[in-house]
Amino acid sequence: MKSKVFRLSALALAIVTGASAFVSCGSKSEAAENKNFSIINVSYDPTRELYAAYNEAFKKHWEADHDSTVEITQSHGGSGKQALEVANGNPADVVTLALEYDVKAVEDAGLIEPGWVDEFPLDSSPYTSTIVFLVRKGNPKNILDWGDLVKEDVGIITPNPKTSGGARWNYLAAWAWAQGEYNNDEQKVIDYVTELYKHVLVLDSGARGATTSFVENGQGDVLLAWENEAFLSLQEYPDDYEIVTPSISILAQPSVAIVDKVVDKNGTREVATEYLNYLYSEEAQRIAGENFYRPSNEQVLAEFSDTFDLDIDLVTINDFGGWDEAFEKHFSDGGLFDQIFEGEA
């Protein structure tokens, strides 16, 4: 059964097709004549700092090798919500979303050609991350692993898996720990995850909103966070927070793709392709590491071994049967998350 959230009807597809007429970058001939390109990167919440730095580096790279300039517009929000907005007509030239399934939602809308996952190296995932805990300085609730999240007096902050890619990684990491803890007894796993969400105080729509709830608004005792979000909070408030790495987490693989329908309309395929290709360059990989994403280049990653715990036990999405299977079971309308959150599991 396909998710109602991410699949569009024939009527909606017609709306998407019509919406492409409002793309403002001009036709292919206009772009070539002006030699001034403008592209839109629709991304997810925690990449704001990463792309602020990367875009400046890419503009210099592009303009040094081409007789043209390029401007990049960024859009950020919960990854699932961002995917839906692109599917509904947000004229992104590229998407850099939290997980493969969100890019597939744009593909299902007819905007991205099949096979995109093989268009760039490493399944079109130029950097990775994982899920950690951000706690208050001194860790007053002694939160050391997933089991501690369901202590009676612990309040949790995490985004909503229906709108946030990071929240789905959070959920699956918790599920993986419970599978090991309860010897794959699925009912006990469900009971644990149900109890975990009873401790959630706020379900923000995206990861950055969840960070704001915890860090700036002072809500909760622990934030389930992208590793880079936790490090950014620690960098800004070194005396107020600390990071706890759980015994097991998940390899979070953000995905990138060209939005074929848009770049062909705009005449921006060459610059959009190079924009994503350059993410794999040594310069860009170091920018990723400096913004607390794990570089996919092993040599560059080694340069950040003092930052990242490279020995953490990580499951992957393949341990859940891939994103299609994981989404259908856990996050589709009426799936396990809905049942758990509504007390029906």
Side-chain angles (χ1 to χ4, degrees), residues 242-282:
E242 59 188 76
I243 294 172
V244 173
T245 301
S247 63
I248 189 170
S249 194
I250 193 165
L251 179 66
Q253 295 173 284
S255 295
V256 303
I258 293 169
V259 184
D260 296 289
K261 290 283 188 181
V262 174
V263 297
D264 288 343
K265 173 77 175 179
N266 293 347
T268 52
R269 179 174 290 277
E270 181 184 5
V271 64
T273 300
E274 182 61 13
Y275 181 77
L276 297 185
N277 262 328
Y278 197 65
L279 284 167
Y280 295 87
S281 69
E282 285 194 14

Side-chain angles (χ1 to χ4, degrees), residues 10 18 27 60-61 63 77 84 89 92 97 99 104 131 165 195 201 214 218 228 257 272 295 297 299:
S27 68
K60 293 177 182 177
H61 162 73
E63 292 168 12
L84 185 60
L97 298 174
L99 45 91
K104 289 182 69 176
I131 301 305
E195 183 63 24
L201 305 180
F214 182 73
N228 76 292
N297 181 312
Q299 291 181 329

Side-chain angles (χ1 to χ4, degrees), residues 50-97:
L50 166 61
Y51 281 108
Y54 173 70
N55 289 347
E56 291 305 310
F58 177 75
K59 284 194 289 186
K60 293 177 182 177
H61 162 73
W62 175 265
E63 292 168 12
D65 292 347
H66 299 79
D67 185 22
S68 65
T69 62
V70 59
E71 293 296 328
I72 303 111
T73 299
Q74 285 298 131
S75 172
H76 298 274
S79 186
K81 183 174 179 288
Q82 291 287 84
L84 185 60
E85 289 189 358
V86 175
N88 280 319
N90 185 336
D93 297 86
V94 299
V95 289
T96 56
L97 298 174

